[in-house]
Amino acid sequence: LSIKCSTWNLAAVNNNPFEYWVSSPDPCYECLMMFVEDFVCNKQLDVRVVDIFSDEMFSDLESEMQALGIENVDKVREYWAQDYCKRLAIQGFLKDKGLGTKR
């Protein structure tokens, strides 16, 4: 199994989600960054977090956290069930200014 993904906090305190957009001679890089910008700005493409990270996946994560002895995993489950799983991935999570200020 191989998974390739990328994410960053679009609600960062400096309000510049492309702060790490650097120049590159590779035209594929420019294409990727333009695609990402178009994608995050198109609200019609947004999906719920649970459609990306399923309840089953959360349960696996929860089990791993419990096995590691992490405290308050039950609180994490509450946050997941009552809030995060219902959010839109981009507008309600990646662009959430409240999450961006909690660093």
Side-chain angles (χ1 to χ4, degrees):
L1 175 65
S2 176
I3 298 175
K4 293 181 183 182
C5 66
S6 177
T7 188
W8 62 83
N9 181 351
L10 297 177
V13 292
N14 67 0
N15 297 321
N16 182 3
F18 297 102
E19 66 184 300
Y20 302 109
W21 184 340
V22 297
S23 297
S24 172
D26 184 350
C28 292
Y29 178 78
E30 177 80 16
C31 182
L32 171 66
M33 294 307 288
M34 294 303 294
F35 174 79
V36 169
E37 182 177 24
D38 290 344
F39 181 79
V40 299
C41 292
N42 187 339
K43 293 179 181 180
Q44 293 177 345
L45 298 175
D46 212 348
V47 297
R48 293 180 312 145
V49 171
V50 75
D51 294 330
I52 299 167
F53 190 80
S54 69
D55 284 322
E56 182 180 348
M57 294 166 82
F58 181 85
S59 293
D60 290 345
L61 174 62
E62 181 180 38
S63 295
E64 291 291 329
M65 290 189 297
Q66 289 168 334
L68 291 170
I70 295 174
E71 296 180 10
N72 299 315
V73 175
D74 57 326
K75 290 286 186 194
V76 176
R77 163 63 71 184
E78 284 179 36
Y79 282 123
W80 169 253
Q82 295 174 8
D83 184 8
Y84 291 112
C85 75
K86 299 173 185 174
R87 292 180 179 213
L88 290 176
I90 300 201
Q91 302 305 315
F93 190 78
L94 290 179
K95 288 187 172 183
D96 181 322
K97 292 189 184 298
L99 292 176
T101 59
K102 291 181 183 177
R103 307 189 215 188

